[in-house]
Amino acid sequence: EAGVAQSPRYKIIEKRQSVAFWCNPISGHATLYWYQQILGQGPKLLIQFQNNGVVDDSQLPKDRFSAERLKGVDSTLKIQPAKLEDSAVYLCASSRRTSGALGGIQYFGAGTRLSVL
Amino acid sequence: AQSVTQPDIHITVSEGASLELRCNYSYGATPYLFWYVQSPGQGLQLLLKYFSGDTLVQGIKGFEAEFKRSQSSFNLRKPSVHWSDAAEYFCAGVNNAGNMLTFGGGTRLMVKP
């Protein structure tokens, strides 16, 4: 079974530029998550999708961050304009369902490391 | 607030020595608990999980963890550490009514030869 795919692996941009990250979840997984992991910290949930609908985006800085999952499969996370403090690893994860014991297991991609200069 | 805490930021052990990484949780009801490992430049790999039942759970790579309700803990253990175990370890929990995974701050494990 293929894992969660993310691209690019690395991205370097200057502040005020825009950037986009792509994620392809495990086949058949209805729920998709984007996390931000700042160096030295644990991952923090940014947004959670169930199929193509948003379940939780309470921690997404909506003035600059946006995410979509139009067909309920792939997802894109965008930052526009980027700030220095957005430098982090952006992790995508997927799970079979939103809730419940077995559905609660999240599988993670390798992440995209963003450096904002 | 629901949370997961890892008291140790860094731990160094000698190769072959035993290991215990601490994790404390704060949830109203028994949560689902997980341990993940993250090697440099890699995503998070699930080591083991606790949902219910037997409080001692076995995971991959020789790791185990014990759920102790009385201490609100879910510590990760390994009897003999290998150099390849050097990585960052994250404890995480989710309320069994939902699916918002909350991570601890992580413990960086270093292994001395």
Side-chain angles (χ1 to χ4, degrees):
Chain A
E1 173 178 77
V4 176
Q6 289 188 248
S7 68
R9 287 299 310 275
Y10 306 93
K11 191 73 177 179
I12 301 174
I13 62 173
E14 294 187 350
K15 60 183 179 184
R16 291 188 289 274
Q17 286 187 324
S18 63
V19 64
F21 314 126
W22 174 83
C23 173
N24 181 248
I26 292 173
S27 177
H29 280 197
T31 310
L32 185 146
Y33 314 79
W34 283 102
Y35 288 85
Q36 180 192 58
Q37 185 179 19
I38 293 172
L39 186 65
Q41 298 180 17
K44 183 187 79 171
L45 180 69
L46 292 175
I47 188 168
Q48 176 183 338
F49 291 94
Q50 172 75 5
N51 296 311
N52 60 353
V54 175
V55 174
D56 186 340
D57 64 355
S58 57
Q59 298 191 88
L60 187 74
K62 299 180 185 63
D63 58 333
R64 298 184 300 106
F65 286 65
S66 64
E68 59 184 14
R69 193 184 185 200
L70 292 176
K71 295 182 179 180
V73 181
D74 293 6
S75 177
T76 303
L77 176 69
K78 297 180 181 177
I79 308 175
Q80 182 177 12
K83 292 185 175 181
L84 296 177
E85 58 261 35
D86 298 331
S87 294
V89 175
Y90 291 85
L91 295 165
C92 180
S94 69
S95 65
R96 287 202 200 102
R97 300 190 301 273
T98 300
S99 61
L102 294 179
I105 299 174
Q106 295 183 26
Y107 298 88
F108 286 80
T112 297
R113 183 175 298 276
L114 173 67
S115 296
V116 182
L117 306 178
Chain B
Q2 299 170 346
S3 69
V4 174
T5 304
Q6 295 178 247
D8 305 305
I9 297 175
H10 295 99
I11 283 186
T12 301
V13 299
S14 298
E15 190 168 16
S18 64
L19 171 71
E20 183 168 26
L21 302 182
R22 296 186 292 164
C23 173
N24 297 107
Y25 66 87
S26 172
Y27 286 87
T30 301
Y32 301 145
L33 295 166
F34 307 82
W35 274 99
Y36 285 86
V37 60
Q38 186 176 36
S39 298
Q42 302 297 313
L44 285 85
Q45 181 183 21
L46 181 66
L47 286 175
L48 49 78
K49 61 189 181 293
Y50 173 76
F51 289 157
S52 65
D54 194 347
T55 56
L56 183 64
V57 293
Q58 303 296 321
I60 62 171
K61 304 185 180 186
F63 285 93
E64 66 178 27
E66 186 170 11
F67 173 74
K68 292 186 176 180
R69 185 190 307 275
S70 61
Q71 298 177 20
S72 297
S73 69
F74 187 57
N75 294 349
L76 181 71
R77 300 194 295 247
K78 186 169 184 177
S80 177
V81 169
H82 188 262
W83 64 266
S84 60
D85 293 325
E88 185 128 26
Y89 291 80
F90 291 95
C91 183
V94 60
N95 184 295
N96 58 13
N99 203 33
M100 186 168 180
L101 198 58
T102 301
F103 284 85
T107 298
R108 180 166 296 279
L109 173 66
M110 290 173 278
V111 180
K112 291 190 301 185

